[in-house]
Amino acid sequence: MTAPVFVHPSVAEAEVGGDLWLEGPEGRHAVSVKRLRAGEEVVLTDGLGAGVRAVVAEAAGKDRLRVTVGELLKEPEPALTVTVVQALPKGDRGEVAVETMTETGTDTVVPWAAARCVTRWKDERGAKALAKWRATAREAGKQSRRLRFPEVAGPLSTRQLLPVLAAADLAVVLHEEGAEPLATTPLPESGRVVLVVGPEGGIGADELAELTGAGARPCRLGRSVLRTSTAGTAATAVLLTRSGRWN
């Protein structure tokens, strides 16, 4: 069984043989929930690509854990990154999408207020929803043993999204009527791929024209039509397999 992962902000400065204290909510989870004890192995990461493999030296109280660093770890930024622009789903479907995309290997998630989205992020409600997405990405990153967690950016309107598509090395909008299959779309060797996932009601003709006008290629995943909360995960898996990141 692989070692559990916890977040520590200072692992990039750690040295082999040195000690680190895991405190606060992460320390409480390690001591009081996981009940880790001396001799057990853990991995600490800052979520930005740096990490350490360490052995528990002692537990102090209910929320402090001292570990001794045994190995320095590094997860470099991949040459080809995948950004998923996720239309806002209803209910908790957004957190489900973020969780599975994080587990799959998505590098960045961008919430998108598409024209046909029923859900709208406004004021305090929007801030709370964004915080939930970011917390979900963090926890899913730990669960899937990643050292580099995905960034969850602030929400964009369609107009704000257009320059993001124009700047991408490859921009794709998933569409059931796309003439080109994602499985054979030519991929750049490096740079940024941006995948656009529409809402449950689909992307309207006018909005699709705006996206393609900014450089996005309409592509289909397959014969079946996936829900908005699963399409980004499936598309990311296709791309990561083809790019070699899953080899």
Side-chain angles (χ1 to χ4, degrees), residues 1 3 64 66 90 113 127 138 159 188 243:
M1 187 174 181
R64 300 183 75 226
R66 181 169 65 87
K90 293 182 289 186
R138 173 187 168 107
R159 179 171 295 181
S243 70

Side-chain angles (χ1 to χ4, degrees), residues 21-74:
W21 280 97
L22 189 63
E23 302 174 307
E26 292 290 280
R28 185 177 302 108
H29 187 71
V31 175
S32 299
V33 179
K34 290 290 188 180
R35 298 187 180 278
L36 296 176
R37 296 296 180 261
E40 295 189 82
E41 189 176 84
V42 297
V43 171
L44 307 183
T45 179
D46 58 5
L48 301 174
V52 300
R53 195 179 306 279
V55 175
V56 176
E58 66 170 315
K62 296 182 179 180
D63 61 358
R64 300 183 75 226
L65 196 75
R66 181 169 65 87
V67 304
T68 301
V69 177
E71 180 185 0
L72 303 181
L73 306 174
K74 188 71 175 178

Side-chain angles (χ1 to χ4, degrees), residues 32 65 89 136 138 141 168-169 188 192 198 206 213 228 243:
S32 299
L65 196 75
T136 298
R138 173 187 168 107
D169 295 278
R192 187 185 188 194
D206 291 345
T228 185
S243 70

